[in-house]
Amino acid sequence: MATDLLLRNIRPLGGEATDILIEKGRIARLGTGLAAPAGVVVEDGRNEILLPGLVEAHTHLDKSLWGLPWYKNEVGPRLLDKIDNERLNKRRLGIDPYQQSARQSIQSSLMGSTHIRSHIDIDTDHGMWGVEGVMKMRDYYRDIIDVEIVAFPQSGMLRRPGTLELMDEAMKLGAEVVGGLDPCTIDRDPKGHLDAVFALCQRYGKPLDIHLHEPGEVGAFSMDMIIERTRALGMKGKVTISHAFCLGTPDPALIDPLIAQLAELDIAIMTTAPASRPAPPVKRLIEAGIRVCSGSDGIRDTWGPYGNADMLERAMFVGLRNNFRRDDELRIALDVCTIEGAKVMELDGYGLSQGCRADLVLVPGETLAEAIVTRSPKRRVVKGGKIVARDGVSIKSAP
């Protein structure tokens, strides 16, 4: 429930100190020396930096092992090895989608995220199990974080008959985004796969967020087909390509035409800034007018042991992967994890201006760059005008 709140002595994006009055869950006024209306809670900002809520624009809430016994990973090196191993082990390991998505969502909130886009597995082994569990979770925890669901055919779609029908069912249940995956290397039918996912988008009037791990020329081929359908179906501004490793290929003749078309059709790019794969050039994409967001991807799951749901840490990874050293470059990395993510998710009323939703995070630091590299655990998180997390303690309990 929205709460009225006066934040005193805070520095929006590391600027000059001011106060912010929040009424009915939205920023009502900004200015120094604001009077506190009767009954309004007053919080001393301690001259800390005020950020809009961090945006976790790519993760997998249904499969995290957070809070479970440590998983010994002995999975093979191929993408399909990881996919098949995970599907087989979900029930054996007790990965209950409601419980695990709640645990990761609370952790994300503690770290300052106020919005999550989560890809939820749809496959013939588990049906709607993941979608139903995460939907139940987001209803209960929506006062601390908003969750948008992508129906995601992780195990492939055409290679596993019946999955397309389950994808359709997930959209009927209320998934907000259609997902897809590596049209050439997983389904091995790029035309069929893209025809199917774009048809779902058209049928339900929903956007697309497609995983594209395919590297080099294969990835560029798939990306070109995605671009072709985006143009033909009038879906400008409604498509996100996640990972997009092919954009990290050091071949201008291959990449330049793709970047030009991505900008023309307002196709967004999601990058986790991976250390072990080619990565999209963030600054170049931003300068071309392309929306670029980021996310944690899998967090402590059967794919890998890493991740703590901290999007400030992810901003640091974006900076490291792109050789950002100047303060203005680190601001770009932070934007990718805040305002750019909000653009990709089409969040209404996001930001620090009057009238925006009061989804905020207070972090210590003299500058934005310092806040990114030091990543203090002493954070205060505001959701809808209410303080929902303080110094690593949430108002909600994990199951």
Side-chain angles (χ1 to χ4, degrees):
M1 182 177 296
T3 301
D4 294 348
L5 176 68
L6 178 61
L7 294 174
R8 290 203 183 280
N9 191 28
I10 48 86
R11 293 182 296 120
L13 295 173
E16 296 297 319
T18 189
D19 304 335
I20 287 186
L21 177 63
I22 297 165
E23 295 179 335
K24 297 180 180 179
R26 291 189 176 266
I27 297 173
R29 278 180 285 164
L30 299 89
T32 56
L34 293 180
V40 170
V41 175
V42 179
E43 180 83 9
D44 180 9
R46 304 193 294 259
N47 203 41
E48 292 181 350
I49 296 173
L50 183 73
L51 304 174
L54 302 172
V55 178
E56 169 68 85
H58 185 104
T59 192
H60 298 266
L61 288 174
D62 59 318
K63 58 183 67 177
S64 174
L65 299 175
W66 196 277
L68 295 178
W70 194 260
Y71 172 73
K72 184 178 181 181
N73 192 325
E74 297 176 312
V75 183
R78 300 179 306 158
L79 185 65
L80 277 173
D81 293 333
K82 297 174 176 63
I83 291 171
D84 292 343
N85 174 75
E86 178 183 63
R87 190 178 62 254
L88 293 171
N89 275 286
K90 275 185 178 177
R91 293 193 190 277
R92 184 183 71 82
L93 294 171
I95 307 177
D96 176 74
Y98 173 83
Q99 172 183 277
Q100 295 311 117
S101 63
R103 289 174 174 179
Q104 184 178 322
S105 292
I106 289 175
Q107 176 65 17
S108 289
S109 173
L110 292 175
M111 295 291 100
S113 287
T114 56
H115 292 82
I116 293 174
R117 172 179 281 188
S118 179
H119 299 254
I120 308 300
D121 286 3
I122 307 294
D123 63 60
T124 52
D125 283 7
H126 302 94
M128 295 296 103
W129 190 42
V131 168
E132 290 170 347
V134 176
M135 284 184 172
K136 178 183 175 183
M137 180 282 300
R138 72 172 176 180
D139 285 342
Y140 183 72
Y141 290 92
R142 66 172 64 254
D143 56 340
I144 68 168
I145 201 155
D146 287 315
V147 176
E148 180 182 69
I149 290 175
V150 184
F152 177 49
Q154 172 74 89
S155 295
M157 192 160 54
L158 304 182
R159 68 190 290 265
R160 294 180 64 85
T163 304
L164 179 56
E165 291 75 13
L166 290 171
M167 288 283 290
D168 189 82
E169 185 177 346
M171 300 312 297
K172 289 177 181 176
L173 278 177
E176 289 86 2
V177 184
V178 176
L181 174 71
D182 295 337
C184 290
T185 56
I186 298 297
D187 270 340
R188 299 186 179 184
D189 181 357
K191 181 183 183 301
H193 182 92
L194 292 176
D195 284 351
V197 296
F198 274 95
L200 286 170
C201 293
Q202 296 289 296
R203 186 177 309 147
Y204 292 99
K206 298 297 184 181
L208 173 69
D209 188 333
I210 182 168
H211 283 56
L212 189 61
H213 306 97
E214 296 166 355
E217 292 184 353
V218 173
F221 171 75
S222 290
M223 184 173 288
D224 195 57
M225 293 186 74
I226 294 166
I227 289 168
E228 177 184 56
R229 281 161 176 73
T230 302
R231 178 180 287 110
L233 296 172
M235 286 186 61
K236 180 177 180 178
K238 296 298 180 181
V239 174
T240 302
I241 301 177
S242 287
H243 301 298
F245 295 153
C246 64
L247 291 179
T249 304
D251 181 357
L254 185 69
I255 301 308
D256 289 356
L258 293 174
I259 291 177
Q261 293 181 88
L262 293 172
E264 174 198 349
L265 294 171
D266 191 18
I267 295 175
I269 297 295
M270 190 296 302
T271 180
T272 63
S276 59
R277 295 288 186 273
V282 166
K283 189 174 183 180
R284 184 178 174 198
L285 296 179
I286 294 286
E287 289 174 344
I290 296 169
R291 294 171 294 150
V292 181
C293 63
S294 190
S296 302
D297 205 1
I299 293 179
R300 300 189 192 181
D301 56 18
T302 61
W303 290 57
Y306 304 111
N308 59 7
D310 185 359
M311 290 305 294
L312 278 184
E313 182 179 76
R314 190 59 49 179
M316 183 186 71
F317 291 158
V318 171
L320 287 168
R321 189 66 180 82
N322 290 272
N323 196 28
F324 291 168
R325 298 172 182 269
R326 293 165 48 105
D327 280 37
D328 56 346
E329 291 175 327
L330 284 169
R331 170 64 189 271
I332 294 172
L334 180 64
D335 285 351
V336 166
C337 300
T338 52
I339 61 174
E340 291 292 319
K343 290 176 186 176
V344 172
M345 290 182 62
E346 299 185 79
L347 300 180
D348 176 53
Y350 179 88
L352 299 179
S353 302
Q354 185 174 335
C356 288
R357 295 177 58 182
D359 294 342
L360 315 165
V361 56
L362 273 168
V363 295
E366 184 177 345
T367 66
L368 293 176
E370 182 184 3
I372 291 168
V373 300
T374 60
R375 301 182 309 285
S376 170
K378 292 186 175 298
R379 306 179 194 184
R380 287 171 285 175
V381 184
V382 177
K383 181 66 177 171
K386 180 179 181 179
I387 296 177
V388 297
R390 186 189 297 273
D391 298 342
V393 179
S394 175
I395 64 168
K396 287 282 193 178
S397 298

